[in-house]
Every structure is written in structure tokens, then in C-alpha cells.
Amino acid sequence: LIESLLSELEALEPSELGERVALAFTKHFGVAARGIDWRPDRHTPLPLLQGIAACVGGRVLSVVFRALCMDYRHLSGGLPDLLLIRARRPSSPEEGDQGHGAKWEVAPANEWLGSSLAAVVDPFSPDSARSSRRGKARAEKGLENDESSEDDDNDACCDSPLESSSLSGVGWRYEARFVEVKGLNDRLSERQRAWIAMLRSAGADCRVCCVTEDKAL
């Protein structure tokens, strides 16, 4: 049963992955499960989960889920520190995904993650609550610090717990990069090496970022 589900997951397109995440989220919302905190300020919003699934892709997700099913105790740790996601679209409508020499541009977060989430996670979004609401509040109240801004960000993150994204861009590319950050004299653990090998075997863009000291500072 597990293998059949993973095989099905591997073949899904980005928009289908988003739909599958929404169905599972709606069905199991609030149900106690290991590793999940359903409190509004703790759990990852649905649009972001959908965006992650679309960008990571079914093949990589199936490898991750298979590994966790086989050895959750050992492999529940060791995943890379950062996950970077983005969507790219043709710079002009006539340039499809198959067009030769097509130019690509990064799509604004509000166009594929939803305006409410983009207002919180993307400071460059036209719907950004961080720039517009805080500036307006300070101007109207004459305050140096807007104490309500943090609550505003939390409210903007998701209008409802089941708010969904819109992964419907035709010919768009959804991309993800896993990054493990290492400092001076820091080495990869065996679990981290195992995860990097598994992710790369599935075609994931997985890198190690080594932080070095800038002697000029």
C-alpha cells in the first residue's frame, strides 16, 4: 500500500501535488500526529505546504517519505537546514515551457502562494503587510514603534486554516534547493550525509554552504 501511494505521488504534476496536499490537510486538520502542532501560530500554513510540495516535486517527496517510513527514529533528524523555493514563469505569454530561448522571471509570491501568505513571507510583495500597514499605522498614530504589527503579520498569514494557494501557472517552473549550513571546523554527520545522498539520488538540488570568517570585518 505504501509503495503504491509513493509511486502515485512520484508521478504527480505540481498543481496535482498542491491539490493532494490540500485534500490531506483538510481531512486531517486538528488530528493529533507526531511532529505536528495544529495551533494557528505553530503549524505551517496550507499555501506554503502546497508551494513546498510543488517545488520539491513528487520524486523527491516520495524518497523522503519512503526513508521516514523505513527508519523514522534515525532519519527524523539530519535533513538540510534550509529549503529555498521559487516559481519562475516565461517573461512573455507566448513563450511556453518548451520555447527555445525563452526568458524566465521569478514569479511574485502572491501569484502562486496567495496574497495573504505573500504579505508575510515576501517583503517585496505588493500586498506586503510589513511595509504598508506598519508605515500607515506609524504615520497616523505618530508612533515610533507599532506594537500591533506582530499581530497583524500573524493574522495575515492565513485568513482561515484551510486557505489554499493557486498553482495554476501554465508552463511555469517550480524549483527548490536544499542547503546544509556549516560553520568553521564543522563537519557533516552520518545522518546528514545520508540525507544529502538520498536527496541527490532523486534529482534534488542539494548543497552544503560553508560559512567562513571575513577577516576584513
Side-chain angles (χ1 to χ4, degrees):
L1 176 60
I2 292 177
E3 281 299 330
S4 64
L5 290 174
L6 293 178
S7 297
E8 181 182 354
L9 180 68
E10 187 173 348
L12 295 180
E13 296 293 328
S15 60
E16 296 173 323
L17 287 168
E19 294 172 359
R20 184 65 62 88
V21 170
L23 289 173
F25 192 98
T26 304
K27 180 178 179 180
H28 301 290
F29 185 81
V31 178
R34 176 178 292 184
I36 298 179
D37 190 337
W38 289 110
R39 284 176 289 181
D41 59 336
R42 299 294 181 88
H43 76 80
T44 304
L46 173 57
L48 185 53
L49 290 174
Q50 292 177 286
I52 290 172
C55 292
V56 171
R59 184 181 179 187
V60 176
L61 286 175
S62 65
V63 167
V64 171
F65 295 153
R66 182 178 291 106
L68 293 175
C69 287
M70 292 177 62
D71 191 354
Y72 183 86
R73 179 188 295 271
H74 181 64
L75 293 174
S76 56
L79 277 161
D81 297 310
L82 305 177
L83 174 60
L84 312 178
I85 62 173
R86 70 179 182 181
R88 292 196 297 159
R89 62 186 180 187
S91 56
S92 59
E94 61 272 12
E95 293 178 336
D97 189 32
Q98 305 299 324
H100 296 290
K103 296 181 180 180
W104 297 85
E105 61 184 12
V106 176
N110 63 300
E111 292 188 14
W112 63 290
L113 292 177
S115 58
S116 295
L117 181 60
V120 176
V121 302
D122 183 3
F124 301 103
S125 168
D127 303 302
S128 176
R130 289 176 176 167
S131 58
S132 60
R133 272 196 298 216
R134 290 181 182 178
K136 183 178 180 180
R138 282 194 290 267
E140 291 179 349
K141 298 179 182 179
L143 298 177
E144 290 294 328
N145 297 305
D146 180 14
E147 297 179 355
S148 65
S149 60
E150 182 175 352
D151 292 335
D152 289 342
D153 282 351
N154 289 336
D155 292 341
C157 185
C158 227
D159 292 337
S160 71
L162 302 182
E163 182 185 12
S164 180
S165 66
S166 178
L167 302 171
S168 58
V170 177
W172 286 26
R173 294 177 178 177
Y174 298 93
E175 303 168 337
R177 173 177 294 175
F178 295 86
V179 181
E180 177 63 39
V181 181
K182 288 297 177 185
L184 293 174
N185 303 319
D186 196 4
R187 296 183 178 181
L188 294 171
S189 68
E190 289 303 317
R191 283 196 298 183
Q192 290 171 335
R193 291 179 183 276
W195 270 119
I196 290 174
M198 283 188 287
L199 291 170
R200 287 178 174 173
S201 70
D205 181 356
C206 188
R207 308 189 184 191
V208 178
C209 177
C210 298
V211 180
T212 59
E213 182 179 0
D214 190 345
K215 296 181 179 181
L217 297 178

